[in-house]
Amino acid sequence: MNQATQPTAPAAHETGASRASYERARVLADRLVAQLTTLPTAVEVHRSFALDSFEVRLHFGAGMTAGRGLLEAAAAIDTEVTREDKYDQRSRLVGCWLLARTVMDGVPVSAWALASEDDADQLLQATPTDEDTATSEADTAATQPIPTVGTDPAAIVAPAMTAVRTLASVVRPVGDR
């Protein structure tokens, strides 16, 4: 049996910029969680290798309650919620990631939740304002069609046309090849 001949020394503690970045992210994470009524299922202070700094990640889990927590977190970090639909190999929608990302006090912050299509639609529906309603009514006002036929051959206007193929006709499932 081979034994180590050199004593092992404990690793030195990180100091300087890394420690300061971690402390900023940890304090921000604590401050954000204290503002929320719906607690995330997990809170991470994670080192970003690309930026060599720490970031805060708030995981809210799945379902309607998780989605409401995400919306609350997005309001707390003052950012928009984006939706990222995920599909399986047969192009069926399997879930919707709801995401909120921003930078606060120099620390990247991200929060997310997983929702069904119906839950995501319900969570992200916007209540139209009076101004939006007035704009949409003005946009639907009847307009005169553009003439496409005339007596002068030089005056004929033809709309541009482009052939459209559905994605389903282009991509075949793996098992059908």
Side-chain angles (χ1 to χ4, degrees):
M1 183 184 292
N2 294 335
Q3 299 259 341
T5 58
Q6 299 294 326
T8 57
H13 292 287
E14 288 190 47
T15 58
S18 291
R19 178 73 55 183
S21 174
Y22 173 80
E23 289 299 324
R24 270 195 320 275
R26 186 186 58 77
V27 168
L28 179 61
D30 290 343
R31 192 174 80 216
L32 288 173
V33 171
Q35 294 176 11
L36 303 175
T37 58
T38 303
L39 291 176
T41 57
V43 178
E44 283 184 279
V45 174
H46 177 76
R47 174 178 264 157
S48 170
F49 293 111
L51 302 175
D52 195 31
S53 63
F54 285 86
E55 61 186 327
V56 174
R57 295 178 175 181
L58 305 172
H59 307 267
F60 283 91
M64 187 62 95
T65 302
R68 287 186 186 113
L70 172 78
L71 293 177
E72 184 183 2
I77 62 177
D78 194 30
T79 191
E80 296 285 321
V81 174
T82 58
R83 174 180 170 163
E84 197 174 297
D85 293 344
K86 292 298 178 183
Y87 296 88
D88 65 8
Q89 297 85 358
R90 294 185 180 164
S91 299
R92 291 180 299 192
L93 183 64
V94 293
C96 304
W97 284 108
L98 303 177
L99 309 157
R101 292 188 175 114
T102 192
V103 176
M104 287 184 71
D105 303 333
V107 177
V109 178
S110 59
W112 59 85
L114 182 61
S116 67
E117 181 179 19
D118 292 338
D119 288 351
D121 290 343
Q122 185 177 350
L123 288 163
L124 297 179
Q125 74 182 0
T127 306
T129 63
D130 293 337
E131 184 179 299
D132 292 336
T133 306
T135 303
S136 64
E137 288 174 1
D139 292 341
T140 59
T143 58
Q144 293 296 319
I146 298 173
T148 56
V149 177
T151 56
D152 182 11
I156 296 176
V157 177
M161 299 181 77
T162 304
V164 177
R165 291 178 53 192
T166 62
L167 186 58
S169 68
V170 177
V171 178
R172 293 185 309 233
V174 176
D176 293 347
R177 291 184 185 169

